Amino acid sequence: MEKPREVLVIGGNRYFGKRLIARLLAAGDRVTVLNRGSSPPTTGAEHLAADRDDENSLTKALGSRTFDVVVDQVCYTPRQAALALRLFTGRTRRYVMTSTVEVYEYEDSIAPVRETDLDPLTVPVDLGLPWQDPEFLDSRYGEGKRQAEAVFAAAPDFPYVAVRVAHVLGGEDDFTGRLEHYASRVRIGEPVTVPVVNRPATYIHVEEIADFLFWAVGEDFTGPVNAASHGTLLTGELVAAVAARVPGGTPRFREVEVGEVSPFAFRRFYGMDNSRATRLGFTFGNVRQWLPRAVAETLAKGGH
């Protein structure tokens, strides 16, 4: 028998992170989960309690341990990336960072966006910004991920992967409330706010992104990789899928030139091209095929 892989998952106590851990354990990997200990450890995995923003806490928790692969589910800032780089250089042969489609938020492309359209080596890094301020970070989610990628990319011998994850749908444990936002409006006849020019976007099912991360753990490619199902969706298609689950529900929309719009409504197109991952060997599903199931899973938790 092959020796089990030693895999460290940082974060991962909810949504697709916990699904990834289940897949790793089922494959016979020795899994260690590192988080603050605010939730019970996954059965079958070793648990380390540490604050990922506290270098002393992390150093003490890790001791002299080494890993075949580290999967970082909660790297949101360049400071966190710089700390991870210090701690894990020479300690792992592979570092998989969960990034986001939002690194492309300033793109407005005709064609789906490729990884090469955002080279992290060209992204300026500012460790002095108030990244520890939750409000500051929340409003700069894409920028934080861009700069985190840039920190890893600037270390030439660090074997990192940045999985740029499309918008995730599905699962009864979807904690974002975005599909419920639509359902509540359809239920009471309130319009969904969209921009006058509303662009489509790329998505991935919660089980598919867990499959993708599990696959990425076992591969040897490095650098950024887009993870998105085939196809794009407009806000109207999402709302129609939700309305199909709401008895008597009829979608209504209100177009606005400026101001806040509903979730999954986009003034720019930065849907992702998934051909790099496809060439590397991952097989994606089609968003339109799994969308009804995703909506049913998420809305079922409220009895809709």
Side-chain angles (χ1 to χ4, degrees):
M1 280 183 62
E2 288 186 13
K3 183 183 173 186
R5 295 179 299 191
E6 293 281 351
V7 182
L8 174 69
V9 180
I10 305 175
N13 59 339
R14 64 178 182 177
Y15 209 33
F16 58 84
K18 70 181 185 183
R19 289 168 170 80
L20 168 63
I21 292 167
R23 284 159 170 75
L24 292 167
L25 290 169
D29 295 318
R30 289 165 53 97
V31 181
T32 303
V33 180
L34 187 151
N35 55 37
R36 288 174 297 182
S38 56
S39 61
T42 303
T43 302
E46 184 179 349
H47 182 241
L48 299 178
D51 181 349
R52 72 124 340 116
D53 293 312
D54 182 335
E55 188 159 359
N56 289 333
S57 172
L58 280 173
T59 301
K60 185 177 178 182
L62 290 168
S64 61
R65 297 185 58 170
T66 60
F67 303 93
D68 294 306
V69 187
V70 175
V71 182
D72 194 342
Q73 290 281 85
V74 287
C75 185
Y76 299 111
T77 75
R79 285 190 195 174
Q80 291 173 333
L83 172 53
L85 194 59
R86 288 195 297 274
L87 278 178
F88 290 104
T89 295
R91 199 191 281 262
T92 185
R93 63 172 181 78
R94 187 164 181 75
Y95 197 96
V96 180
M97 170 200 167
T98 302
S99 189
T100 174
V101 63
E102 294 303 326
V103 299
Y104 299 120
E105 64 187 326
Y106 298 129
E107 299 287 334
D108 193 4
S109 179
I110 296 171
V113 180
R114 296 183 177 184
E115 292 86 354
T116 51
D117 291 328
L118 177 69
D119 179 356
L121 287 173
T122 66
V123 174
V125 173
D126 188 346
L127 298 175
L129 293 172
W131 295 110
Q132 73 285 357
D133 178 348
E135 195 171 307
F136 177 88
L137 179 57
D138 187 56
S139 64
R140 293 164 179 82
Y141 176 66
E143 182 60 28
K145 290 286 192 180
R146 271 191 297 277
Q147 292 197 27
E149 284 193 29
V151 168
F152 292 128
D157 298 324
F158 192 68
Y160 90 102
V161 178
V163 179
R164 294 171 176 171
V165 182
H167 306 290
V168 183
L169 296 174
E172 63 179 14
D173 54 338
D174 179 353
F175 60 92
T176 65
R178 290 176 294 197
L179 292 184
E180 176 54 38
H181 169 91
Y182 295 148
S184 63
R185 274 156 179 73
V186 170
R187 206 175 294 120
I188 62 176
E190 283 287 318
V192 170
T193 306
V194 295
V196 172
V197 178
N198 191 20
R199 308 300 303 279
T202 41
Y203 296 84
I204 193 164
H205 191 274
V206 64
E207 300 291 347
E208 189 171 34
I209 188 57
D211 287 340
F212 188 94
L213 289 168
F214 175 75
W215 168 78
V217 163
E219 296 296 306
D220 58 8
F221 67 87
T222 56
V225 62
N226 292 339
S229 294
H230 298 303
T232 60
L233 294 173
L234 281 160
T235 316
E237 293 174 278
L238 275 169
V239 177
V242 170
R245 300 282 306 177
V246 178
T250 302
R252 296 176 58 212
F253 298 91
R254 180 176 67 243
E255 294 183 345
V256 295
E257 292 277 3
V258 294
E260 193 171 341
V261 293
S262 66
F264 303 133
F266 302 96
R267 291 186 169 90
R268 298 170 179 265
F269 178 68
Y270 49 98
M272 294 190 296
D273 181 315
N274 63 14
S275 58
R276 182 182 189 218
T278 300
R279 286 195 306 273
L280 288 166
F282 189 81
T283 301
F284 290 101
N286 187 288
V287 64
R288 285 184 174 80
Q289 291 178 342
W290 58 251
L291 178 62
R293 172 167 64 100
V295 172
E297 290 165 353
T298 301
L299 297 188
K301 66 181 178 181
H304 305 305

